Amino acid sequence: MPRPLQVPLSFDKSAAQIAAGAKLVAGGVNSNFRLGMSPGPLVFERGEGAHLIDIDGNRLIDYYGGMGAMVLGHNPAPVCEAVTRQMQSGILFAGQSMVEYRAAELIQARIPSAQRIRFGSSGSEVAQAAMRLARAATGRRTIVKFEGHYHGWFDNILWSTAPAQNAAGPSDEPVRVAGSLGQSADDGRGVDVLQWNDLAALERRLARGDVAGVIMEPAMCNQGAIAPLPGYLEGALAACRRHGAILVFDEVITGFRLGAGGAQQRFAVTPDLSIFAKAIANGFPAAAIVGRADLMDMFVDGVLHGGTFNSHPVVMAALVATQQELTPAHYDATSARGLRLRDGVAGALAAAGVKAQVTGFESMFHVAFGLDAPARNYRDLAQANKRGYALFALALLRRGVRVLERGAWFVSAAHDDAIVDQTLAIVTEAALEVAAQLEG
């Protein structure tokens, strides 16, 4: 039997503040992705290393990691110091600054596809830039995306990111499912949806000759943490080459987590274009589109890319400082602790009799309850016991560990051995508690 909680954490002040804040801010939050968790959205005072401190005074071990952005942890000194120095020199110039060229040099040296670079402020917007380039370069309209892959919240790409199975159609011919009320159906006519990790299906679709671009997460990490099947990425690139389409890797999550060179370096496949955000600047609103010189140079030959805050000097200073901290020693240490945590979570769940698949990578992994085998695509993942995992997430939170209810765990440089040990002890207790609930 699980031992009872001595003092379950209270989140009453957060609940009260969210209720009060809802009179000012719709729903009390400024992103819908901050809704839906139990016992409700939390309000934080500060972050310290691997911890967040909320307004109830709870000190929580944080595996949200700013939705994957905080690769170094909260408030790393080198990043904070670089930002402070830049603020003393200037905030926004409506022109260029030397720090943005230093940032570009660092990205170009790391990312195989980065012959040219443009900076933006969010993953959603650089995804739009990538699709615009693909259409301009090919003269075609259609973009192919994959079920479960997320490329931003705009109408023309928010399709089948997490479709209900009763609406998604057959696996071999998925139905395009809107992600929001009010979404323009006209915009969806430029998007076709396929199953990921199915090379034959992609080849058949490309053979029709009307596809401008194929956009995918090179490892599926928005839903789950699923590696590409052997040969899939290589085959996708070759198929795009044969049929005149542009291959775009969305590395908003995988970039700088699966290695300094992203998933494209890890899997040795260089796409035409790539997009990055999140961990690129450890929580500052930086994003980048990078790619082949001939494609990227279209931005100075008729293809519009703009933004008041693009290459914001303060953000670029954070990006430079973050990249300088992402050394081989960082990846070695974080990888070792991340793997120990991932395997420890799997072991604790198995010991408690909870059926689960714990899959993924060193500093980002995913836990799915109820699956008999690792998922290969969204349809597999959709069979998971989401309610059971939500109970587990709540049991962890009440003990001081904060994890995303969608199953993702993000490990940072600040999650040291002692924190991993503490987490695994709490996971063991929570696993026993949820096992009893699932049996009941």
Side-chain angles (χ1 to χ4, degrees):
M1 292 292 293
R3 67 185 179 93
L5 282 174
Q6 298 301 307
V7 184
L9 299 184
S10 168
F11 303 97
D12 292 345
K13 290 183 180 178
S14 274
Q17 182 57 60
I18 292 292
K23 298 175 183 177
L24 301 167
V25 175
V29 301
N30 279 287
S31 168
N32 278 32
F33 298 120
R34 299 172 194 163
L35 292 169
M37 66 286 295
S38 182
L42 302 184
V43 182
F44 296 98
E45 288 187 343
R46 65 189 187 278
E48 297 175 356
H51 294 86
L52 287 172
I53 295 85
D54 67 16
I55 62 172
D56 285 276
N58 300 314
R59 185 175 178 85
L60 306 174
I61 301 174
D62 179 38
Y63 292 103
Y64 267 59
M67 298 294 192
M70 313 305 288
V71 68
L72 301 176
H74 297 284
N75 296 337
V79 177
C80 294
E81 290 164 3
V83 166
T84 300
R85 286 194 301 272
Q86 181 58 51
M87 289 176 64
Q88 292 168 346
S89 298
I91 295 175
L92 187 63
F93 304 137
Q96 284 54 252
S97 62
M98 291 304 296
V99 69
E100 73 192 71
Y101 300 122
R102 176 59 179 144
E105 286 176 345
L106 288 168
I107 299 304
Q108 188 177 72
R110 293 190 159 190
I111 304 302
S113 61
Q115 293 180 5
R116 296 283 192 278
I117 298 161
R118 278 286 184 97
F119 289 112
S121 298
S122 72
S124 290
E125 71 178 73
V126 291
Q128 295 296 307
M131 291 185 289
R132 179 173 287 178
L133 274 183
R135 288 174 169 136
T138 62
R140 301 171 180 175
R141 178 184 181 187
T142 301
I143 300 294
V144 168
K145 75 171 298 284
F146 299 88
E147 273 193 349
H149 292 216
Y150 176 77
H151 310 295
W153 62 277
F154 294 102
D155 279 15
N156 63 349
I157 200 64
L158 188 65
W159 298 93
S160 299
T161 57
Q165 292 304 283
N166 61 358
S171 179
D172 58 347
E173 292 187 20
V175 174
R176 189 172 57 238
V177 180
S180 173
L181 295 175
Q183 194 169 340
S184 169
D186 288 342
D187 284 341
R189 295 192 181 104
V191 176
D192 275 1
V193 177
L194 300 177
Q195 283 301 322
W196 192 61
N197 259 339
D198 184 342
L199 187 56
L202 178 59
E203 178 74 47
R204 288 194 300 271
R205 181 62 190 85
L206 288 170
R208 289 161 57 181
D210 63 337
V211 174
V214 174
I215 187 168
M216 68 170 74
E217 299 174 62
M220 185 173 164
C221 291
N222 182 67
Q223 302 279 343
I226 305 173
L229 293 175
Y232 178 74
L233 296 182
E234 296 90 338
L237 179 61
C240 285
R241 291 278 187 273
R242 281 193 298 276
H243 299 291
I246 303 299
L247 180 61
V248 182
F249 278 0
D250 182 335
E251 296 227 46
V252 167
I253 294 179
T254 58
F256 312 107
R257 282 203 169 269
L258 271 62
Q264 59 194 263
Q265 183 181 66
R266 182 175 185 135
F267 298 119
V269 176
T270 302
D272 300 302
L273 298 170
S274 310
I275 60 174
F276 296 85
K278 293 191 184 295
I280 194 172
N282 202 69
F284 281 81
I289 173 173
V290 313
R292 282 171 27 199
D294 62 310
L295 295 174
M296 295 292 294
D297 285 345
M298 293 180 72
F299 282 138
V300 293
D301 189 23
V303 178
L304 178 64
H305 170 247
T308 298
F309 300 114
N310 290 358
S311 68
H312 192 293
V314 175
V315 174
M316 293 293 99
L319 190 156
V320 168
T322 298
Q323 294 298 318
Q324 290 172 337
E325 292 297 305
L326 296 179
T327 62
H330 158 83
Y331 285 106
D332 288 345
T334 304
S335 295
R337 291 192 291 266
L339 289 174
R340 187 162 72 86
L341 177 64
R342 185 192 71 185
D343 295 345
V345 171
L349 291 170
V354 177
K355 183 166 68 173
Q357 294 294 324
V358 184
T359 59
F361 309 97
E362 295 85 356
S363 69
M364 186 271 163
F365 60 88
H366 182 268
V367 183
F369 277 22
L371 298 184
D372 293 314
R376 297 166 300 170
N377 55 36
Y378 175 76
R379 296 290 174 112
D380 289 350
L381 202 63
Q383 305 307 310
N385 181 354
K386 296 179 177 62
R387 173 188 166 275
Y389 186 79
L391 291 172
F392 181 55
L394 179 58
L396 291 172
L397 183 64
R398 292 169 66 224
R399 290 169 167 85
V401 172
R402 184 180 186 236
V403 299
L404 280 158
E405 288 198 349
R406 64 181 169 90
W409 292 55
F410 292 104
V411 182
S412 77
H415 289 90
D416 62 20
D417 286 322
I419 290 171
V420 171
D421 289 342
Q422 183 182 1
T423 301
L424 290 176
I426 291 171
V427 165
T428 298
E429 292 184 10
L432 291 169
E433 177 182 316
V434 78
Q437 291 175 309
L438 294 174
E439 290 172 2

